[in-house]
Amino acid sequence: DTLEPVRSRTLRKVGYPEGSRIEDFRCITFDGMALVVHTLVQPGSIKPVISRIVDDTLQRFDEFTLPMTPAKVEKNWVLFEHAGALHCLYSLDP
């Protein structure tokens, strides 16, 4: 009711390239897993990645590719669940 944080913790990154950044977090629960959809930022590229929260770690879980060549900097997507499957909504011109 108050929007006050209930709890917080620092997650250790597992399975990410050295020197990379992760940002633009979007949390979703799917198939009993706590997932985070976010961007993986590396020199010259920003792409969507799915990670799992397991205990106090953020584990790289899956990359998804769009059915087209995305822009160099890509953040126009969101995942959602429908009929037991995970889907991606992508906007060409947001």
Side-chain angles (χ1 to χ4, degrees):
D1 291 338
T2 65
L3 299 177
E4 290 293 322
V6 175
R7 63 188 158 104
S8 67
R9 65 183 189 243
T10 300
L11 301 175
R12 184 174 45 88
K13 296 189 310 183
V14 175
Y16 297 90
E18 190 172 326
S20 65
R21 286 191 334 266
I22 51 178
E23 56 186 47
D24 198 18
F25 280 55
R26 303 164 196 198
C27 300
I28 185 171
T29 300
F30 176 73
D31 199 23
M33 297 180 288
L35 301 178
V36 178
V37 184
H38 58 82
T39 52
L40 176 62
V41 181
Q42 299 181 84
S45 119
I46 296 178
K47 63 181 176 179
V49 173
I50 302 172
S51 295
R52 288 183 356 167
I53 297 174
V54 179
D55 299 321
D56 286 335
T57 64
L58 184 67
Q59 301 176 359
R60 192 168 173 175
F61 182 66
D62 193 13
E63 295 182 26
F64 58 93
T65 51
L66 300 169
M68 61 199 43
T69 303
K72 185 176 179 181
V73 176
E74 191 50 72
K75 293 189 177 187
N76 300 322
W77 45 266
V78 67
L79 294 186
F80 65 97
E81 180 180 3
H82 177 70
L86 197 58
H87 298 270
C88 177
L89 180 63
Y90 179 75
S91 174
L92 295 175
D93 190 13

